[in-house]
Amino acid sequence: MSTITRIHEHDVETVVENFTSEEDAANAAKRKKLFLRFGACVAALAVAYGAYDAFYASAHVETDNAYVGADVAQVSAQVTAPIREVLVSDTQAVKQGDVLVRLDDTDARIALARAEANLALTERRVRGLSATDNGLAAQIAARAADETRATASLASARADVEKAGVDLKRREALAASGSVSGEELTLARSAFATANANLRAAQAAVALAAANRAAAAGTRDANRVMIENTTTETNPEVLAARAARDQAKVDLERTVIRAPFDGVIARRSAQVGQRAEPGKSLMAVVPVQAAYVDANYKEVQLSKVRPGQAVTLTSDLYGSSVTYHGTVVGFSGGTGAAFAVVPAQNATGNWIKVVQRLPVRVALDPKELAAHPLRVGLSMNADIDVSK
């Protein structure tokens, strides 16, 4: 019985050993098959990644560090005046030319009336200068006539002096013989003295007439300088007065502040009664229909990026269901770190190299913006096709 039992146990052990060896062989085959499958998967993934890199990744550069921007207009007054009326509020959409703020125009209207009055006065004064020129020409002619008359009087006085001198000499010659009385000689001497006095007066009159004519000519020359080669419309004084009038008109028009372009009102600080001053911001107008994207790419991504390349963008606001199409416009003049408020001091001893990012400006399709408006500061994902 024990022999039979030992034979049976031996057979069982043999069967168990055979079964174990068969199981190990099956497991080894299975492991080999799994390793082959894993190797095939790794090879397929490598081939897929190589194909992805060759046909897509090498032709695209992507970043999620991109934000919507726009050339925001800071609306401020150009003249100093109290605010009379504010017609818009934050988030309100406006069109180009819409009235945003009205200022008190009382001072501007008074200034315009004063400028118009000054212009009219200046035009009258210039026309008066033209009329004065004609009057001065007549005065010169009159002074010339006076000079001619004085010259004639001088010639007459000289003739009288000669005649009185001849008479005096004749009487003095006859006085020695007693043919001429003393009284008659005295009268002759008086007549000669009077003639000399009249001569000196005539000479003075000629000099005075000449001086008056020269003065009239000088006055006319001075007057002509003011109007020479000009008309009333082109006279410098009139032009200056007209420019002052035009400036007053512009200042009056500037009491009405209008939207510079289509957009949305933001950061409104204007209040009725507040005194508006040039350079002091009253509100901002954001041109949402002219928004762009600044995509901050790593410097190692930009070797193939060129202006004009196509860009595909998605916004966190709408998700991947809305796709925008844009174009690379250009690159910023410096990295974000270079233009930071506190730029990095790399000259210090604790310098660590950090990959820099350079803003790339992307222009968006206006039609797509109109269909799905964006706002300044929203996050975007940008993908530049660098294959072309």
Side-chain angles (χ1 to χ4, degrees), residues 121-246:
L121 181 62
T122 304
E123 289 176 342
R124 288 190 177 187
R125 184 169 60 252
V126 170
R127 286 195 294 268
L129 291 175
S130 299
T132 300
D133 185 73
N134 296 330
L136 291 174
Q139 286 185 18
I140 292 173
R143 297 298 178 266
D146 291 342
E147 187 177 7
T148 302
R149 183 170 59 251
T151 301
S153 298
L154 176 60
S156 176
R158 283 174 178 164
D160 291 342
V161 168
E162 291 178 359
K163 181 178 180 299
V166 171
D167 289 344
L168 178 60
K169 289 179 180 180
R170 184 183 302 118
R171 283 169 175 73
E172 286 178 342
L174 295 175
S177 61
S179 301
V180 176
S181 63
E183 182 181 358
E184 192 173 348
L185 181 60
T186 301
L187 290 175
R189 288 175 177 170
S190 297
F192 181 72
T194 301
N196 281 316
N198 290 337
L199 175 62
R200 289 191 295 271
Q203 290 173 339
V206 170
L208 178 61
N212 289 337
R213 182 177 61 82
T219 304
R220 184 190 63 179
D221 292 340
N223 187 76
R224 282 188 173 178
V225 170
M226 306 297 294
I227 60 174
E228 189 175 12
N229 299 324
T230 63
T231 63
T232 302
E233 295 299 319
T234 61
N235 186 273
E237 292 186 12
V238 175
L239 293 178
R242 186 177 293 117
R245 188 273 313 271
D246 294 341

